[in-house]
Amino acid sequence: MEPRELTEELEEMSLSPHAMRSRDSRGRERPEPLCPVRTCYQRDRDRIIHSKAFRRLKHKTQVFVIPEGDHFRTRLTHTLEVSQIARTIARALRLNEDLTEAVALGHDLGHTPFGHGGEEALREVLAEVDPPRTFDHNVQSLRVVDILERGEGLNLTWEVRDGILNHTGDLEPGTLEGKAVKISDRIAYINHDIDDALRGGILQEEDLPRDCIQVLGSRHSERIDTMVRDVISSSRGRDSISMSASVGEATRRLREYLFRTVYVGSAAKREEDKAKRLLKRLYWYYRDNPGLLPEESDSDLDNAVTDYVAGMTDRFAVAQYQRHFLPGSWRLEE
């Protein structure tokens, strides 16, 4: 028996009836021979980790735009925290950890530079270009794995692609593993954004809403532990992933508090308007100069420009702005 087949047998014996088995995957858009060692979801995880889009996440903003400290989260560390939380939930509920991890690692591959401010910038400029067009990072993440990476996409399984597309907003993933990632994404960013805001002096411990803290805990680790354990106890044996009413309400109110105090108008977002103007100007520049786009770009100009700008890291976007719009030093050509 091949190692992959042994793993699939173990899945049959150990996973919850509600879990997704590798053997039951809807498969890939382009059929491939099975790997003798890895299941289909393990292969998807590995493809995501080895992708260029995944490596670029280390230089993309989470909340603080180009922070000077070394300990603020980036889009990559956020992704790793989501993966850790989601795997803990999946393991406790006897879900497919490999599928869960693949979705978690891929869920933000299409995120713009400068965080959600960059996403808003592209959404606004596309509304000027062609009002039916819009930009959402989850849709762009799916575009990255379907088309952009390697010039032909990663050819991931349906379940991983579904989890990536539906990890945010009102959309609902089709597997419990995808739903575990969706709730883990919220658990991760609520808690690490509080931690970063405290580190950056945007918030003080005593500022956090007391009623939420009494339910969730006074320390970073306590709040994560409370939320994760509550998800596990509320979801065990059920065909859904959820929190209890009390913890869910405290989590919702804590998230609303972050929007009021950190995500909108705080010192953490001080440079965001500049970042948005930078991305919009780059968008128009490349639209007017399509010859500067990568050779493998989409034949649709606005898709090509969107893909290029969205794929930039913070520092690459700044470097391109300096190159195209700021004067450089002059020297005599010899």
Side-chain angles (χ1 to χ4, degrees):
M1 181 179 291
E2 297 281 12
R4 186 204 75 251
E5 295 173 312
L6 179 58
T7 301
E8 291 171 344
E9 287 295 323
L10 291 172
E11 287 181 358
E12 290 293 337
M13 293 186 290
S14 63
L15 294 186
S16 161
H18 304 297
M20 188 69 209
R21 271 86 171 151
S22 302
R23 284 177 176 169
D24 296 332
S25 171
R26 295 194 193 183
R28 308 177 189 279
E29 289 194 352
R30 300 190 301 274
E32 299 177 1
L34 295 175
C35 174
V37 176
R38 297 167 297 165
T39 68
C40 57
Y41 302 137
Q42 290 171 342
R43 293 179 82 184
D44 285 359
R45 175 202 59 204
D46 294 350
R47 290 177 184 184
I48 289 168
I49 288 176
H50 289 285
S51 69
K52 291 185 293 184
F54 184 77
R55 294 195 292 276
R56 289 198 300 270
L57 295 177
K58 66 182 177 180
H59 294 301
K60 292 196 177 192
T61 291
Q62 174 59 26
V63 171
F64 286 72
V65 177
I66 315 181
E68 293 186 356
D70 291 332
H71 297 138
F72 292 99
R73 269 71 172 190
T74 66
R75 190 62 56 179
L76 178 60
T77 57
H78 161 72
T79 294
L80 295 176
E81 292 186 37
V82 173
S83 177
Q84 175 266 317
I85 291 170
R87 286 183 59 199
T88 298
I89 292 171
R91 185 181 298 119
L93 296 177
R94 295 189 295 120
L95 302 179
N96 193 313
E97 274 190 66
D98 296 321
L99 171 56
T100 303
E101 185 178 24
V103 173
L105 293 175
H107 81 282
D108 270 353
L109 290 180
H111 229 300
T112 60
F114 309 120
H116 286 284
E119 186 173 17
E120 292 171 7
L122 287 181
R123 194 174 293 143
E124 290 168 9
V125 77
L126 284 171
E128 295 181 47
V129 170
D130 183 8
R133 292 180 187 258
T134 189
F135 183 90
D136 293 293
H137 76 270
N138 56 315
V139 176
Q140 188 69 13
S141 294
L142 186 63
R143 182 169 169 81
V144 167
V145 300
D146 277 357
I147 300 171
L148 301 179
E149 190 66 30
R150 302 179 184 172
E152 60 179 4
L154 299 178
N155 197 29
L156 304 182
T157 57
W158 182 91
E159 293 77 21
V160 173
R161 295 172 59 251
D162 169 79
I164 289 172
L165 178 63
N166 297 312
H167 80 269
T168 188
D170 296 330
L171 304 170
E172 197 63 32
T175 66
L176 286 189
E177 290 80 2
K179 294 174 183 178
V181 171
K182 183 172 184 175
I183 204 167
S184 298
D185 185 31
R186 181 164 294 193
I187 292 171
Y189 75 67
I190 287 173
N191 286 289
H192 66 50
D193 290 352
I194 290 174
D195 192 45
D196 279 356
L198 292 171
R199 178 175 293 105
I202 307 300
L203 298 177
Q204 303 297 322
E205 290 280 1
E206 57 270 22
D207 295 333
L208 300 176
R210 290 295 96 194
D211 53 346
C212 297
I213 297 308
Q214 287 174 356
V215 174
L216 301 174
S218 59
R219 294 187 294 115
H220 176 75
S221 58
E222 289 178 355
R223 289 189 287 271
I224 293 177
D225 185 65
T226 297
M227 292 179 186
V228 170
R229 292 174 64 179
D230 186 74
V231 168
I232 292 167
S233 63
S234 300
S235 307
R236 184 174 285 121
R238 300 177 57 198
D239 190 18
S240 63
I241 302 290
S242 63
M243 290 180 174
S244 66
S246 60
V247 172
E249 177 63 15
T251 300
R252 183 189 66 79
R253 294 183 61 189
L254 193 57
R255 179 174 178 269
E256 289 180 349
Y257 171 78
L258 283 174
F259 271 93
R260 293 195 307 271
T261 58
V262 177
Y263 298 150
V264 179
S266 76
K269 313 296 273 185
R270 185 168 47 206
E271 301 298 297
E272 191 170 89
D273 285 343
K274 296 178 186 177
K276 289 177 66 174
R277 289 195 295 272
L278 180 155
L279 286 187
K280 287 182 178 181
R281 194 167 183 192
L282 283 178
Y283 186 97
W284 289 114
Y285 182 82
Y286 288 117
R287 196 170 189 268
D288 292 338
N289 297 274
L292 296 176
L293 295 170
E295 291 183 3
E296 65 275 13
S297 296
D298 195 296
S299 57
D300 181 289
L301 178 58
D302 289 308
N303 282 345
V305 177
T306 300
D307 292 338
Y308 189 48
V309 174
M312 292 179 176
T313 61
D314 296 7
R315 63 184 186 178
F316 184 76
V318 171
Q320 294 308 297
Y321 187 90
Q322 291 173 333
R323 176 185 177 189
H324 297 308
F325 299 114
L326 300 182
S329 58
W330 179 88
R331 65 183 178 88
L332 180 65
E333 294 292 340
E334 298 180 357

